[in-house]
Amino acid sequence: MNSLILLLLSWPLPAADYTFHKIIDTAPGSEYSSFKPHLILNNEGVVALTATRRRDGQQVLLRGTPGAMSVLVEESDEVRAPVAADMNDSGAVVYFAGASVRTTTGSGPSRVVATGRGPDFLFINLGITAFPSINNDGAVAFTASNRVYVAANGEAPRMVVSETDIPRWFANTPAQLSGVRINNRGVIAFHALGTANPAKSAVYLKGEGPPVLALPFETIWTPFSDDGSMALYSRVFRDGVAITREGVLANAVTFDDETAGLSTALGMSNSGNLVFLADASDGSAKASGIFTGGDLERHGVIAVGDPLFGSTVAHFHTLIGYQPRLINDRGQILFSYTLSNFVSGVALADPVGEVAPGAPVIYPGGIRNTALPTPATERGAALAPGTAISIYGRNFAPRLEIPERNSQLPSSLGGVAVTFNGIEAPVFFAAQGQVDVLVPYELQGATTAEVKVFAAGGESGPVTVNIAPHSPAIYRILESGSARAVYTGTETLVLPIGATPDSRPARPGDRISIFANGLGGVTPELASGANSCPDSVCEADDSNVVPRHAAVKPVVQIGGTALPEDNVHFAGLDARTPGFFRIDFTLPAGLPSGAQPMVIRQGNFSSPERTVVISLR
């Protein structure tokens, strides 16, 4: 199996109120008649954008703070139609000007990084996803002639990736490279279209060595932080945002309400702050809003219909393509809008109120099995030892943290620890508003447990959860309610044809793998937080994996029919990921076609019925 682990969770910031500052607008009498929706915000709260000046129709590049925006680059015979592309924390801006890439700090003349007139740059890709990028060292990355270049230390650009470095889907057609971003460690992320994978699209990382595949499926945006984390929206995650690092999907914003869904704009800061545009429903109406987490009530910033600058918001602007930064490490958020009075503009949302860390707080209903949307504290709910859970709240880790791969999970991460009846739980994700842990195996035989979160600001109040030998649940693909099921040994999803670039329904005789949570103890036993390899270090070919079977073999039921026991070949821990279970089975003949409900049972315990389906033909 590929190492992509899809844990569909939420990632909220601490709850906060916001004040809104106008950057520019197009009201009658204002200086600017229009602006481009590609907006830039750095960690100092400085904004850069491109606007059209009303008095002469010239396109200018603006930089500044609310109430103090000034012209940084003015259109001229030499500088045609400047377009702001990216900005570092020192305020240095990289921009397009005709067929050239330039940088400016605002003091002295701008510097030409590359031009389409030279022999090495037959053309500069000007597509939306091909904007150049600049880091805090002033290094600029860009694509030209289907290659990736870097210009650093004032030197001439050097090619770092050629289209021949990327495996191609069609033998006679090289992959198309675009969407470049360079972080402050000098690592580059870029898109490649026409690559040798089922989605024909991928994201690669380029550091010291050759390009490394990071995301082997289609994505639209990849906000990219200094630790290599990326936030992305893909066709598989229409109802959420995934977070990945080192090629492993480790987190996603999802919605409990099926009527809520992700729209288009997406941003992520270096510290792991996330912002996105989503649709939210109150049961009678649906409106778009800007959010910082999956709890649409606690993590809303501003929504359509809310008052703003003497009118109300009619809609938010989005750009289909790469956005450099829409949120910074301070939690400030940059967005563009149109009001009900037809005035468009750009605004900065500045968080106020409860943002400084205090004692950690677990939200009511904030403890959840990662495969289920319902709280683990609901009546009748329980958690089994070894279950992966998410705890939502505030004042947890100061930034996103994920443990090192191929190692035993730590008992604390980013200064955050969680205890069950005083027993420390293995931690596999920590952020400002969420911590993900495994229920310790040491709770075998317990019936309840008192949960506490410990962080820099102190300890949370206790929350009591029920403990049971098993609490099975099947991971889902959210927009369809389908089981996260693949053809064993592949990444091909068991979904209707066309649902994703690589999917098809299953039929009798197909060998299928589904992913589950909460199957309880395993045999041979292992320590809490360990994976299935000696000392938690797995060989690249998995040759040292010790199969860890669920102590109670689950019964798989599809369409109301239990599969024969011999058809279930394996049910136990996935080799490299603690707490993540896999069930391999062969579909028997006689099952009805279409979307069939799926349930797994262990003795008297079963996964929720009528919530997960699998596509059959």
Side-chain angles (χ1 to χ4, degrees), residues 318-331:
T318 61
L319 179 67
I320 297 177
Y322 164 72
Q323 286 280 11
R325 182 178 293 164
L326 296 173
I327 186 169
N328 63 16
D329 291 347
R330 302 179 180 186

Side-chain angles (χ1 to χ4, degrees), residues 145 166 196 216 228 235 257 271 304 340 362 368 499 547 564:
S145 301
I166 307 300
R235 291 181 179 177
D257 186 348
S271 64
V304 168
S340 297
I362 301 174
R368 304 190 181 192

Side-chain angles (χ1 to χ4, degrees), residues 265-291:
L266 173 68
M268 184 177 71
S269 72
N270 264 329
S271 64
N273 295 343
L274 187 70
V275 67
F276 53 90
L277 186 63
D279 292 325
S281 173
D282 63 2
S284 60
K286 193 169 186 177
S288 294
I290 296 174
F291 300 89

